[in-house]
Amino acid sequence: MMPIPRFWREIKQRYKGIGSVCKNCEKMYFPPRKICPECRRESFQNMEPVELDGRGEVVTYTEIHEPHTEFDKHSPYIMAIVEMKEGVRLTGHLVNVDLEDVESGMKVEATMRKLGEESRDGMIYYGYKFWPVDE
Amino acid sequence: MKPKEEVGIKGYAGYVPKYRIKPKDIGEVWGEDGEVMGRGLKIESKSVPAPDEDVVTISTQAAKWAMQRADIDSDEIDAIYVGSESHPYAVKPTATIVAASLAATPHLTAADYEFACKAGTAAFQTCMGLVSSGMITNGIAIGADTSQGAPGDALEYSTAAGGAAYIIGAGDLLAKLKHTCSYTTDTPDFWRREGKKYPEHGGRFTGKPAYFKHVTNCTNKLFEETGKGPEDFDYAVFHQPNGKFPRKAAKKIGFSQEQIEPGLLVTRIGNTYSGAVPLGLAATLDQADPGDNILVTGYGSGAGSDSFDIEVTKNIKKIKDHKVPTIKEIISEEEFISYSIYAKFREKISAGGE
C-alpha cells in the first residue's frame, strides 16, 4: 500500500510520463531525478522536467502466473521492460495482447489503466500500462 | 436553445473495451434462453471492461485521441465535464483525474455530471454555452460508463462499457452544433439508491412513458424550433438501451433504418449508457461527408432527453490525417469471455470471497 502523499507527488510521472533531463549532459531520467548521477554538482538546479512521448518498444517480457494479490483478477498477465523513444527503460504491464503475439522489438504505447487500490474503501491508483501500436 | 455564437466539434474519439460476452452465455447461468433474450433486445454481444478499466481510463483514452484529432495542446483546454453513472468515486471527481492525465490542470474548470444515460449530452450543452458565450475557448465533454446490472437481472444482457470525448470550441470545426433543446420530467423509470451497487428499474415502465415519450417529444421540439424534419437529416442517432427502442423511436418520428444504421452500435457492444449517444455520433461522424446533417437525441432515466442539430463541415476530411482509430476499428477488436470470467472482471465474484 502506498501512502497518499507519495502517490500524489508522483501523479505527473504516473499519468503523463514526466521524467527529467540533465541540461549539462542531456541525459534523460525516468522516474525524474533532482541530480544527475554523472554530472553531480554541475547538474544541481540544472535538471528540467520533460514529458515522454509515450511510445517505445518491448525489450523483454514475461508472463506472471503467480500474481501479487492486487493483480489476482488479471492473472496470468504480461510484464515487459519497454525502451521508450527517449532511451529510458520502464517496466509495465502489457494489455490488449496475447502472450503468443508479443515479441521483443514490438512497438507499444502507454495507455492509462487502474494499477490498484489502497483498499475497497481506499483511493484508486492510476498509471501507465502499455499496449501494441501499428507503427 | 440556439448558441449565441457559432460553436461545434473540433475533435472527437471513442473507446470501447475489447472484451465481449454473448447473451447465450449469460442466460445459461440463470436458466433462461439467452439467445431468445438477445434476439428480443437485438443485442448479439456486449462489451465488458477489463478489471483495470473504468470511467477514468475510458474517458482519458477517448479524450487523448480527441485532442490529437483537434490538434490542440493541453493548456488550451478550459473545461472538462465527465458524464457517467459509474464514476469510480462517489465523492472525488473523475474530471480532475482525467484533467491531470491530459496535463490540463490546474487552470481549468472541471466537474462530473450524472443524469443516468444522458450525462454525456448534458456535458455537451454546458460546453456549448461556455464556448458560445465567450467564457472559454475549448471544453471537453465526455460521456462514459461501465454500467451495472445485477446478476440475474434483465439488465445484465445489455449493460456495457465504453465512452467518447468531444472537444467543443469555435473556429476550425469538424461539425457545427447549431441547435439544442431538452425535455425533462420527474419520471421514476430507473434509479440506483446511494450506496447500492446495482440499479432498480420499472420493467415495462421504462418504455412508453419514459424512453419513447422523452425521445419523441424532445426531437419534435427540435424540429419545431429549427423548422426542420426527418427529411432534412442525413443521419440520426438515438439513445440505444437495446436494439429495439431506437429503431422503434426512429420509425415513429419518421426516420428510415438507413439514417440510423451507422450510429446503432448497441447490437455489437450493448448499452454503454452515457457513452451510447456520444459513441453513436462518433461512428456517424466517422463516415459523414461535408454538408451532412445529423440529428442526435439522447435519453437519461429519471428522466430527460437532449436533442442536437449538427452540420458536418469540410474539415471532416482532415481527420483521416490523424492516426486515431475509428469506432468501427475499435469495436472490431473483440475477445469473447465466459460468464465466469465476466463475473470475475465485474467483481460479482472475488478471490477470498469478499
Side-chain angles (χ1 to χ4, degrees):
Chain A
M1 193 165 65
M2 196 186 301
I4 292 171
R6 181 184 155 192
F7 184 83
W8 173 75
R9 273 198 304 272
E10 294 174 356
I11 274 179
K12 279 187 179 164
Q13 69 195 55
R14 288 175 190 279
Y15 291 5
K16 283 297 287 176
I18 306 288
S20 61
V21 65
C22 170
K23 296 308 284 179
N24 195 46
C25 69
E26 297 299 319
K27 191 165 180 189
M28 167 127 190
Y29 295 96
F30 188 92
R33 283 177 173 268
K34 287 210 165 86
I35 295 281
C36 171
E38 285 171 25
C39 302
R40 299 200 260 184
R41 193 192 310 173
E42 279 77 24
S43 70
F44 182 64
Q45 291 189 329
N46 208 12
M47 300 291 286
E48 276 192 6
V50 60
E51 184 184 335
L52 296 174
D53 169 73
R55 292 192 170 216
E57 58 181 55
V58 172
V59 177
T60 185
Y61 59 96
T62 187
E63 190 171 52
I64 310 284
H65 287 265
E66 287 296 330
H68 183 276
T69 41
E70 225 173 300
F71 301 125
D72 55 11
K73 285 201 288 284
H74 302 266
S75 180
Y77 59 89
I78 309 165
M79 293 297 292
I81 292 175
V82 174
E83 184 161 309
M84 306 304 287
K85 266 167 76 174
E86 295 82 358
V88 291
R89 289 183 173 191
L90 275 63
T91 304
H93 294 246
L94 280 189
V95 295
N96 274 29
V97 64
D98 294 324
L99 184 68
E100 55 268 30
D101 298 325
V102 184
E103 54 186 14
S104 297
M106 187 174 84
K107 307 280 184 207
V108 293
E109 186 179 34
T111 181
M112 196 188 192
R113 292 289 175 113
K114 247 169 89 170
L115 297 181
E117 56 189 21
E118 195 179 15
S119 66
R120 293 290 299 155
D121 300 327
M123 69 170 292
I124 304 166
Y125 307 129
Y126 294 96
Y128 56 83
K129 290 190 178 182
F130 295 95
W131 63 9
V133 283
D134 286 339
E135 48 179 311
Chain B
M1 295 184 277
K2 189 174 167 55
K4 204 172 164 189
E5 300 290 336
E6 188 173 88
V7 54
I9 298 162
K10 296 175 86 169
Y12 70 94
Y15 177 76
V16 178
K18 73 165 186 170
Y19 295 103
R20 303 279 186 275
I21 186 166
K22 289 183 173 167
K24 179 179 173 284
D25 297 319
I26 297 170
E28 209 169 81
V29 176
W30 303 110
E32 292 172 338
D33 190 334
E35 282 183 325
V36 169
M37 284 295 283
R39 274 201 299 277
L41 294 167
K42 293 190 189 300
I43 290 175
E44 289 166 11
S45 57
K46 69 163 192 171
S47 63
V48 180
D52 58 358
E53 291 182 300
D54 63 14
V55 167
V56 166
T57 66
I58 291 169
S59 301
T60 299
Q61 189 59 56
K64 199 174 136 188
W65 279 334
M67 282 174 66
Q68 277 177 36
R69 270 194 178 143
D71 206 11
I72 60 169
D73 292 328
S74 46
D75 57 5
E76 295 174 77
I77 301 296
D78 305 313
I80 294 184
Y81 295 98
V82 184
S84 179
E85 63 170 76
S86 28
H87 291 290
Y89 290 97
V91 178
K92 161 106 184 72
T94 300
T96 57
I97 309 171
V98 175
S101 72
L102 300 173
T105 52
H107 297 294
L108 84 165
T109 179
D112 289 358
Y113 273 168
E114 192 264 276
F115 194 143
C117 298
K118 84 158 188 82
T121 51
F124 267 61
Q125 289 179 331
T126 307
C127 287
M128 282 174 75
L130 290 171
V131 171
S132 73
S133 66
M135 287 174 70
I136 65 167
T137 307
N138 297 297
I140 305 187
I142 301 171
D145 256 303
T146 55
S147 54
Q148 314 90 32
D153 188 277
L155 276 179
E156 220 185 2
Y157 290 100
S158 58
T159 48
Y166 287 77
I167 314 295
I168 312 274
D172 279 339
L173 303 175
L174 300 177
K176 295 176 196 169
L177 293 163
K178 295 169 78 176
H179 200 95
T180 181
C181 71
S182 297
Y183 185 89
T184 309
T185 71
D186 180 6
T187 307
D189 58 328
F190 176 102
W191 62 89
R192 179 161 59 85
R193 294 284 302 271
E194 183 65 41
K196 291 289 177 186
K197 197 170 177 184
Y198 299 111
E200 297 285 328
H201 54 88
R204 285 177 186 275
F205 188 72
T206 58
K208 202 172 170 186
Y211 178 89
F212 292 105
K213 177 180 157 186
H214 292 77
V215 167
T216 310
N217 285 332
C218 194
T219 308
N220 286 333
K221 180 76 177 153
L222 186 101
F223 289 162
E224 188 190 310
E225 290 180 8
T226 57
K228 291 183 173 177
E231 66 284 358
D232 297 311
F233 292 93
D234 300 278
Y235 302 104
V237 182
F238 293 102
H239 177 53
Q240 35 204 282
N242 51 56
K244 209 166 54 175
F245 279 21
R247 286 185 171 90
K248 202 171 160 186
K251 198 174 170 189
K252 196 175 166 193
I253 298 166
F255 287 99
S256 67
Q257 178 65 29
E258 290 69 37
Q259 282 168 298
I260 63 165
E261 198 57 44
L264 213 51
L265 307 174
V266 61
T267 315
R268 284 186 66 183
I269 62 169
N271 180 8
T272 52
Y273 282 50
S274 305
V277 153
L279 276 167
L281 173 60
T284 307
L285 286 169
D286 280 346
Q287 68 169 70
D289 289 316
D292 280 351
N293 289 288
I294 306 170
L295 175 281
V296 172
T297 299
Y299 172 73
S301 292
S305 272
D306 300 324
S307 289
F308 299 86
D309 173 10
I310 301 171
E311 185 188 326
V312 179
T313 75
K314 61 177 188 335
N315 293 329
I316 200 79
K317 294 283 177 202
K318 289 186 198 163
I319 61 167
K320 291 187 179 63
D321 300 342
H322 302 98
K323 286 167 186 147
V324 173
T326 63
I327 301 300
K328 202 181 254 182
E329 286 166 344
I330 289 164
I331 66 173
S332 66
E333 196 182 332
E334 46 188 22
E335 182 177 334
F336 287 88
I337 55 172
S338 64
Y339 191 89
S340 355
I341 297 293
Y342 162 75
K344 181 179 77 167
F345 279 10
R346 299 302 289 140
E347 296 184 331
K348 292 167 199 259
I349 53 166
S350 60
E354 275 185 44

